[in-house]
Amino acid sequence: MKKFSIAMLSMLLAGSMLLTGCGGNNAQTQTTDNGQDESNAAQTGADYKLAVDGTLTMATNAFFEPYEYYEGEEIVGIDAEVGKAIADKLGLSFAISDMEFDSIITAVSSGKADMGMAGMTVTPDREKNVNFSQTYATGVQSIIVPEGSDIASPDDLAGKKIGVQQGTTGDLYCTDDFGEDAMSRYSKGTDAIMALTQGKIDCVVIDNAPAQKYVEANEGLKILDTAYAEEDYAIAFAKDNTALKDAVDAALGELIADGTVQSIIDKYITAD
Ligand code: ARG
């Protein structure tokens, strides 16, 4: 019940952010023309609708390395490349619309963007508002603490100040388990990490792949060996756009089967 009301709250917040223009300075769109005939999708008999004709628009939050992040002006990462490969297969141009993480589901369900791809975890609450593609990657909610912290496992989180990116599963799970008062919510994971290095909070709960990047980039932080929760990442679609979901799922299925998705993941995440 609690999870449901939090999901509803984040939907409301997301709605108000869209009205005010997607949360200000980081709302940005990046487009790549594939140089193909724009009516290609129509020619192949596709019956899905798109926010912009001939373009597959992906809603994301580009502060989540290695899935999506800025390299200079450009948004790169696993989702950016897999999304582009899907658009290529469908004969569509590709655009990325960067927004707050908790605006993505509203952007997709209202048709402002065609798909939400943001290292987004499939959860029963989200499934009430969007349909998900097949899984293309997995994640784990990890706990980052300063070296020397007395937090050694998830059981030690009780009574601690927990930092999360607003609206993520780390936020939802920890709020459920440790209560509202334990939570410090940030619009970006980087802001949570900054607060941790400044001693304002005791830990950050975030997906393992960005956690790894943060710990590499910041002295004095470590990831606990015990993970908090395991998850599946998938692409979100509006409930009424099943034709687009089916087309993307077919393209994604081929990209998984021929090894393209794995090679993109391997390019950004080096096993060690
Ligand atoms: N996997 C987590 C979730 O779905 C976090 C995703 C955050 N993604 C991002 N692009 N900021 O809630």
Side-chain angles (χ1 to χ4, degrees):
M1 216 42 234
K2 192 157 195 195
K3 260 192 185 147
F4 181 66
S5 58
I6 289 160
M8 291 301 290
L9 179 66
S10 45
M11 290 300 295
L12 289 173
L13 285 172
S16 61
M17 261 177 233
L18 271 182
L19 289 176
T20 56
C22 288
N25 57 4
N26 67 347
Q28 192 168 325
T29 302
Q30 164 180 314
T31 311
T32 345
D33 200 321
N34 74 354
Q36 294 183 28
D37 180 355
E38 291 219 333
S39 59
N40 203 0
Q43 284 165 4
T44 55
D47 53 357
Y48 45 77
K49 35 182 192 328
L50 296 166
V52 176
D53 261 353
T55 298
L56 183 66
T57 304
M58 163 180 139
T60 199
N61 169 258
F63 295 89
F64 197 67
E65 188 180 354
Y67 282 88
E68 41 268 327
Y69 59 102
Y70 282 89
E71 228 170 56
E73 300 278 278
E74 202 196 347
I75 298 169
V76 298
I78 295 166
D79 290 338
E81 288 203 26
V82 174
K84 172 78 169 68
I86 290 170
D88 284 349
K89 266 208 183 284
L90 298 178
L92 299 169
S93 295
F94 182 56
I96 299 177
S97 180
D98 181 22
M99 60 189 71
E100 297 289 330
F101 181 76
D102 62 2
S103 298
I104 296 172
I105 287 188
T106 307
V108 168
S109 52
S110 68
K112 285 199 170 70
D114 303 312
M115 63 179 194
M117 197 171 182
M120 189 182 279
T121 305
V122 179
T123 73
D125 277 331
R126 289 176 183 163
E127 281 177 316
K128 290 174 191 156
N129 299 304
V130 286
N131 288 332
F132 281 103
S133 70
Q134 62 197 288
T135 300
Y136 64 93
T138 53
V140 178
Q141 290 301 308
S142 297
I143 303 166
I144 307 178
V145 294
E147 272 159 19
S149 165
D150 60 352
I151 302 172
S153 82
D155 299 334
D156 302 329
L157 292 182
K160 300 293 184 188
K161 280 211 149 309
I162 305 170
V164 291
Q165 184 182 21
Q166 165 127 345
T168 60
T169 45
D171 181 3
L172 303 176
Y173 303 156
C174 289
T175 305
D176 258 10
D177 289 350
F178 303 104
E180 196 58 39
D181 290 348
M183 305 306 297
S184 295
R185 303 190 175 92
Y186 301 88
S187 120
K188 302 182 182 84
T190 18
D191 297 341
I193 295 296
M194 177 104 69
L196 182 63
T197 58
Q198 292 168 347
K200 292 181 180 154
I201 51 179
D202 300 309
C203 64
V204 170
V205 175
I206 197 159
D207 303 50
N208 57 321
Q212 200 67 52
K213 299 286 177 192
Y214 289 136
V215 168
E216 280 164 20
N218 292 276
E219 289 271 307
L221 298 181
K222 64 173 186 182
I223 300 173
L224 295 189
D225 290 337
T226 338
Y228 192 59
E230 297 195 9
E231 338 190 286
D232 289 327
Y233 293 167
I235 309 173
F237 298 90
K239 284 275 182 198
D240 62 0
N241 209 350
T242 52
L244 178 64
K245 174 184 132 43
D246 291 347
V248 168
D249 247 336
L252 177 59
E254 287 173 27
L255 293 165
I256 291 171
D258 72 8
T260 305
V261 169
Q262 192 56 51
S263 70
I264 292 171
I265 292 174
D266 291 346
K267 179 174 151 190
Y268 287 95
I269 302 176
T270 36
D272 47 17

